[in-house]
Each structure stands twice: as structure tokens, then as C-alpha cells.
Amino acid sequence: MQSQTGHIDQIKQLNTGIVYRIIDQYGPISRIALSKQSQLAPASITKITRELIDAHLVKEIEFPVLGLRGRPAIGLVIESEGWQFLSIRIEKHSVSLSLKKINTQTIVAHDFPFNVKGNEEFSISLASLISQFFATYSAQLERVTAISIILDGILEPNSGVIYKLPYYDIHNLSLGDYLTLQTGLPIYIQPYVNALALTDYFSLHAKRTAKNIIYLQIDDIVSAAIINNGVALDSNTRRAIHFGHVQANSDGDLCYCGGIGCLETTISIPSILKLITELLNSYPSSFLSNCSITIENICIGINERDPLCLHLLNNIAKLLAKQLCLLINIFGTELILINSPLNQVANTFHTLLRQYCIGQSIPLYCNDLIIEKSVITKKECETALVQQVLYDGSLLLQLLQG
């Protein structure tokens, strides 16, 4: 009986999430159209929408239907009355906190300096900032339902454990459990690349024909999210993808993950800046000899065909393609979306990368491979984690149960 009850609850969660997602993406939508789109029976639609309306998560509005006269139709749209969540972005030496409505509209936001070291100081300081933020903006608080956290590091999203975090000296920190204990709220944690991939998928998936996609982040860290046949790989395996921590150079630097010569120690932006500084003596006539070493100036040098800058970009593309081709051959990747400061020279960078991918992966897949820059920014992905748990129904059931 317990197993059967769990099965029923799982179906209810799935169906509620489907209905909410369709209303969010296509509303205002009539119940008849909602039933067809969701492939759920009209009686199920009536029951689910009544619960969502009673909880102020969905509301009815009138909307005109082209070609029909008489009274406007009644459609369903997302409601956000009173429902809120806290979004947290953790970056190098700073934390951004944003109070948002469940429909993703920002109510208030504040940035804080964050210079801490070690598990205890990190977790206590973050909990203190959350309490401070809630106290400062208490007049704006209503029903805060969840906290989402996006950050770069080696972590396990399902358990909320951060194994390693650059800049903060974090080791095996159960941040999710700790913050739930402090706040009483569910905590959702994901790396930036997953949040970027989710945001892109939610906003643009209807326009994309590609079903097998790699979302690639090359910034202070190097990471990837993999979508296979429209489904995020780690959502099936429940294991995070640590693309940046495969070995690219056996004689390379020690990585914070404990490995030697990881891809991240070779092609991340800090690593690029370090390498080009070391190479500059061998290229005295380089454009960079007369300016500061920044990624912006390196990109200017690439556009001006500076030999040192082009040499560096060529090596980055070659190393990156070697790792990507394994994924292309395994998953039949059709599209690679890149989020990186290197997108300032997207034409040159993407052309080089595609050439090396074609040379190292199966022609069946790589001949039609498309490489593009991602149009999603880090700030725009703040709402992705809560959207995901609303769409899969897991957070919705908690809200409906009060």
C-alpha cells in the first residue's frame, strides 16, 4: 500500500508540473487546449487547475480569440501572489542575493563582499547574510518558498554537497542540509553551467531543432552540461558532470580538485592569462607587449592577427576539441553552445574549434556540427533552478500542501 501511495504521489507531481509548465509557457491557455497539449483527461485538468488556482499559483483571465465573435475566452496564466524565493549567486569574493516572485520578477537585490575561507566560516557567513537580507527587507517578504544557489565548483546538486570550491578553500561541505536547518527552506544548488543550460532550454527549446546539445562554460572555471535527446544527462545519472577535470596535460599544474594538468588549469581564463604572460618574452613584437594582459586585450590581438594571441587561441581550440570529440562521438552532439569571454572572437574561435572537432570525431556527427555562442548571461539564469522544480512538480506539491 505504501508503494502504491508513493506511485500515486509521483504521478500527481509529474502531472501538476506538466500543467504548470504549459500554462507558464503558453498562457493564456484554455482548459481544452491545456488538455490537448498535456495529453491529460479534462477531469484531471479541472482538478489540477482548481488546486493551483486555490493556492494562487494560477489565475483565470479573459483573452480574445482571433476569428471568433462574442465574449472573450477564459484562459489560464501563472499567478505569483505572495509566493517568493531567494536567489543566490556566489562568485569570486562576492555574493548576490535577490528576492524574487515565483514568476521570476525581482523584488529587491543586494550584492555583498564575501571574503571567507573554510567550511565553517563559509556556511556561517552565508547563513548570516541570508538572515541580514531577510531582516533588511522584511517589509517586502511574504511567502518565501525556497532558496536557489548557483556557483562554480565541484559539487553534487542532488545532495547539496560542495566537494571543492575555488577561492574559498571548501572541502565536502553539506551546504544544502546546513542552510535548510538554518532557514527551514528547501535549498537547490547547481553549477553555473547547469543553470545557463536550463535557462537556454526553458526560453529557446521550442525554436531549436537540435536535441543533443553541449553547453560549455569557459571562464574562471571550465565546465559543461550535456543534453541528450532533450534530457539533461545528470538528471538521469544523478551524478554531476566534471568536464573541466579531465587531464589535458600530464606535466601540467596541480588543480584544486587534486588532479594534475586538468583542462581547467590549461584553458580557463586565469590559466590563459598566466600562460600568455610566460610566452610574452618569446614574442617581443606582440601587440600585448605594450598593454596590460587582459582577456579583452588578447581578443583585440586575435582580431588584429597578432601571432602570440593566435598561437594561444589555436592551442586552446586543439585541447578543447580533443575532449569534446569524445562526447560528440558518444552522444551524437548536434550543437555546442559556448558561454565565455572568448566569444568576443567567436568567429575565429568557433571556426578553429569546429575544424579540430571535424578532424577528431566521426564524420557522421561532426559534419553537421554547429557551434554558437550562448546568449544567456549569468544574471539571467538566477531563476532557472526554481523554474525546474516547479516544472517537474516537486516544489509545486510542497506549495499545494502548505
Side-chain angles (χ1 to χ4, degrees), residues 260-280:
I260 301 292
C262 290
L263 187 65
E264 188 166 304
T265 66
T266 309
I267 69 167
S268 66
I269 298 304
S271 301
I272 291 171
L273 298 179
K274 177 185 174 184
L275 178 60
I276 208 158
T277 302
E278 294 170 354
L279 292 174
L280 195 56

Side-chain angles (χ1 to χ4, degrees), residues 18 21-22 26 29 32-40:
I18 289 170
R21 174 179 58 80
I22 293 172
Y26 299 100
I29 184 171
I32 294 174
L34 182 56
S35 178
K36 291 179 180 178
Q37 186 84 3
S38 65
Q39 297 184 336
L40 295 174

